[in-house]
Amino acid sequence: MNSSSNSSQAQSFSRRSLLKLLGLGALGTISYSRFKKPQPNIFQPDTLDLPRHLTQQKSVVVVGAGLAGLACAYELSQRGFQVTLLEKSPQLGGKIASWPIQVGDKTFQMEHGFHGFFPQYYNLKSIVQELEIQNNFLSLESYSVVFRNNQYQPEIFRPSHSCFPWNIVDLAVSSPNFWRWGINLTHPMHWQVFREISSFKAPDSFHRLDQISVTDWVKDDFPRGLYDLYFLPFAKSSLNAPDQLSAGELMQFFHFYFFGNPEGLAFNGTRQDMGTSLVQPIAQSILRNGGKILTEVEVDQITWDAGNIAGINYFQGEKNTSVPFWISANPALNGIEYQPLLGDSENNFQYFGAGDQVYQVLAETGSDRAQVLSLTCTHQGCIVKQATDGNFHCPCHGAVYDPQGQVISGPAQQNLRQFNVVEHQGDRLKLVAQISQTSSKKNPQPATLQADYFVLATDIPGVQKLFDLSQGEINPALIQQVNTLQVADPFAVCRFWFDRDFDWEHSNFASLSGYQLTDSITLYHRIQDQFIQWHQQTGGSVIELHAYCYKEQEFPSQTALLETFEQELYEIVPSLQSATLIHRELVNQKNFAGFPPGSYANRPLTHPAGGNLMFAGDWVKMPFPCGLMERAVSSGLLAANEILHQTGLQGRSLLTVNPEGFLKI
């Protein structure tokens, strides 16, 4: 988008002019009423009345038990399919999984961070309603965007009963920062921006904007207030940094959450952890319908035959298994651009992996061998750091390991895992766990699963690993699509327990803008029952800070993350500086789907290449607007629908917001 200079006769666009444009202009082009909210759109409704249940035996294997895999398995198990759901972790749920932690003499359920359930999450809500678990959720009534150093007054979003354009009119009227939006619709660039954000239509919007990042799109004379107040906070809440996010994807995101959304912007939280409130009820339904769920599963091989998956080999065991896997160099941790590791003239540590899966590699002088040590603490998964004495220290809970990874002091009970390098390609290493570190069976025998259909519903690193394990003839275009998928910058969550409460004038979940690391704050002791009860018993507080997409170069270690989170928490809530910090938990991962410029065209579909393979996950190209958890669930239901259609059954009705913006360029 080309910039243009302000005309000498250009006048600032007033509140009255904006209301006139949005109100009168929209009345002539759309049939929405301020008093009658439009109903959700049905995506590809079935025109035939088809059977809903199988009359013959059919089987499905779903790999990955995040929201996408759970939704797919849930729908198919209800229709009579024999469903087997495989998950590599001990817990189900993927990015919404929960696991127990110990804080003093209390046990709590920890998560990957707070998740909000927006009212336009129609497909996720339909599962909640079918399971009759609506009482597991509570309304947060409103939420705020709070700006550092009072750069802007807080923006407050509440439920709305008005549809577009009236919901945007209401936002303009209620915004305390309206006069600082900086919109001048007599300016060609500003008018072009307004047209793009109010006229989303796939694939047209992607054809215009997918090749440019959000940062580049807004750098030339973009309305500064509009960017600071809405574009920056909400772009980052997509879990993609603006410099790595396609402007086309941001338009889809804005359309789903703002311009095409008739439901308002407040949302629900869970009364308990996500596992208890949502994951377990879905899993229990799958089991009641005869499905099988296997956890701690390692896939050993996928066999292909004539464009179909013929079978999957897997085994269950400890996390250290003999399954080889690839890792990539991490220039941010190495401090320099990656240089070929093996054969270096001097012993030199190099670091591979990211998030909570980081590996230290030491090349032996004059040899082609390398020693590889996982730096993931065996207690709760934090990344340990080597001190000047050579020992590894966990920044989260104080475990200490010697230079060989042996436990010196708790709470960790197992040594750091060790691996061998079996293959070396440029900046990638293929590792396999040392035999002595694997389960007591030494050589566990894999089982083989055959099925009529297979659904790969893992995250991006997971699906790429599965293709690395594939044998047989595979469509080269499909391999290329999978290999070019990218993950977003890593995210981090830090949850703090303090011995006292504090005054807080904003919403119990609030977006934060302007901080080096922190993007949101959640007051768990005012939302979830387990923490409310603890607060009532102790008077303490539980606060979570979340960094949606930080730069590894700025925070190369979990120690740096913890220190910055704590510093910024005391700036956000100054009264906590005199409180006693009882406990803290850090979650740090790099597995959210990336939507970089130029990625839309090559993104795989739910049914990517015919045959019996389906994809599901928040990284799949979607045929209607959706985002985050709703995108994951919808992709799983789309995969299920494809299987239902192939077997002659009625598909599930999938709902979405109005798929097109009202201007429709």
Side-chain angles (χ1 to χ4, degrees), residues 119-385:
Q120 74 273 29
Y121 285 8
Y122 298 125
N123 297 314
L124 176 52
K125 285 172 59 179
S126 68
I127 294 177
V128 169
Q129 291 166 355
E130 290 167 11
L131 294 172
E132 298 182 345
I133 57 173
Q134 296 95 320
N135 288 338
N136 291 358
F137 302 84
L138 78 163
S139 173
L140 271 65
E141 303 300 336
S142 67
Y143 80 94
S144 308
V145 181
V146 182
F147 300 88
R148 190 181 194 182
N149 298 326
N150 299 316
Q151 179 185 6
Y152 298 94
Q153 295 184 55
E155 290 281 339
I156 301 175
F157 300 93
R158 293 183 173 87
S160 171
H161 300 292
S162 299
C163 56
F164 185 84
W166 301 108
N167 55 354
I168 306 301
V169 172
D170 292 342
L171 176 64
V173 170
S174 63
S175 172
N177 302 294
F178 173 79
W179 297 109
R180 301 183 64 188
W181 283 13
I183 300 175
N184 179 0
L185 292 186
T186 65
H187 193 303
M189 171 62 177
H190 291 199
W191 173 245
Q192 202 168 0
V193 169
F194 176 77
R195 290 205 307 166
E196 289 291 356
I197 63 179
S198 59
S199 63
F200 174 81
K201 181 181 179 181
D204 299 2
S205 294
F206 289 100
H207 291 163
R208 291 193 300 271
L209 296 173
D210 191 54
Q211 299 300 321
I212 187 171
S213 72
V214 172
T215 297
D216 288 339
W217 187 55
V218 305
K219 69 181 181 181
D220 293 328
D221 200 24
F222 193 89
R224 187 67 203 180
L226 195 66
Y227 179 76
D228 291 341
L229 290 162
Y230 305 108
F231 272 66
L232 180 59
F234 287 98
K236 295 184 73 174
S237 67
S238 73
L239 285 305
N240 282 246
D243 63 324
Q244 297 296 318
L245 176 62
S246 152
E249 286 290 349
L250 182 64
M251 292 305 99
Q252 192 268 163
F253 194 80
F254 260 74
H255 178 79
F256 179 65
Y257 285 97
F258 280 94
F259 284 82
N261 167 29
E263 309 289 351
L265 284 171
F267 49 78
N268 290 341
T270 56
R271 295 185 185 275
Q272 296 290 350
D273 59 280
M274 294 283 286
T276 301
S277 297
L278 181 61
V279 174
Q280 291 178 16
I282 298 176
Q284 290 163 3
S285 175
I286 295 168
L287 294 173
R288 284 195 301 269
N289 285 307
K292 296 180 180 179
I293 300 176
L294 304 178
T295 59
E296 298 184 86
V297 167
E298 287 283 354
V299 173
D300 184 55
Q301 181 177 295
I302 298 180
T303 304
W304 292 73
D305 182 25
N308 287 305
I309 294 181
I312 288 181
N313 290 358
Y314 76 94
F315 59 84
Q316 289 179 281
E318 295 181 7
K319 194 171 183 179
N320 270 342
T321 67
S322 59
V323 177
F325 59 96
W326 286 96
I327 57 174
S328 298
N330 190 320
L333 294 179
N334 293 329
I336 57 172
E337 289 300 318
Y338 174 77
Q339 300 295 326
L341 175 66
L342 300 182
D344 283 353
S345 59
E346 297 181 0
N347 287 344
N348 185 31
F349 286 121
Q350 294 282 347
Y351 295 92
F352 288 71
D356 61 354
Q357 297 294 326
V358 176
Y359 303 84
Q360 184 189 76
V361 183
L362 173 63
E364 295 185 9
T365 303
S367 75
D368 290 333
R369 294 183 297 172
Q371 302 171 4
V372 182
L373 188 67
S374 169
L375 300 187
T376 302
C377 180
T378 58
H379 174 232
Q380 288 291 343
C382 294
I383 297 302
V384 301
K385 183 177 181 180

Side-chain angles (χ1 to χ4, degrees), residues 37-55:
K37 185 170 67 178
Q39 294 301 305
N41 281 261
I42 300 176
F43 172 71
Q44 292 184 347
D46 280 317
T47 56
L48 300 176
D49 187 13
L50 300 174
R52 294 188 59 82
H53 296 276
L54 280 175
T55 58

